[in-house]
Amino acid sequence: MATCEVCGNDYWMAFEVRTVSGDVHTFDCFECAAHKLAPICEHCNVKILGHGVEVAGRFFCCAHCARHEETQGAEIRDAVGSRPA
């Protein structure tokens, strides 16, 4: 069994997540993994669980939030629903 690093639950179905930087984390559920690893929107402070938007190395949950914080304004678009021309 392994212990979740977020909630401390000792669970036989715990799993490991290995990050690009080589860190290894142990969790008992996806909720704990998201709580620990998901980036936070720099405008509204929600956890980014979907695709999010990255602008100049800053992370936002959506284009709307990114437009409030970045000077690129109308150039910032969400990727969801867009189709190539």
Side-chain angles (χ1 to χ4, degrees):
M1 291 213 280
T3 302
C4 177
E5 66 183 68
V6 172
C7 70
N9 187 27
D10 190 19
Y11 186 44
W12 70 275
M13 288 182 63
F15 58 93
E16 288 184 347
V17 174
R18 297 173 187 273
T19 65
V20 174
S21 64
D23 295 333
V24 179
H25 300 276
T26 303
F27 304 106
D28 69 337
C29 65
F30 288 113
E31 180 181 8
C32 286
H35 178 77
K36 175 79 175 196
L37 300 175
I40 297 172
C41 177
E42 293 192 37
H43 178 71
C44 70
N45 296 315
V46 302
K47 293 281 187 173
I48 303 169
L49 299 180
H51 59 86
V53 176
E54 181 181 358
V55 180
R58 298 176 69 199
F59 293 93
F60 303 95
C61 64
C62 63
H64 177 264
C65 284
R67 285 192 294 269
H68 279 278
E69 297 288 326
E70 287 292 327
T71 59
Q72 293 157 332
E75 297 173 21
I76 300 170
R77 299 270 187 254
D78 277 317
V80 173
S82 62
R83 296 185 177 144

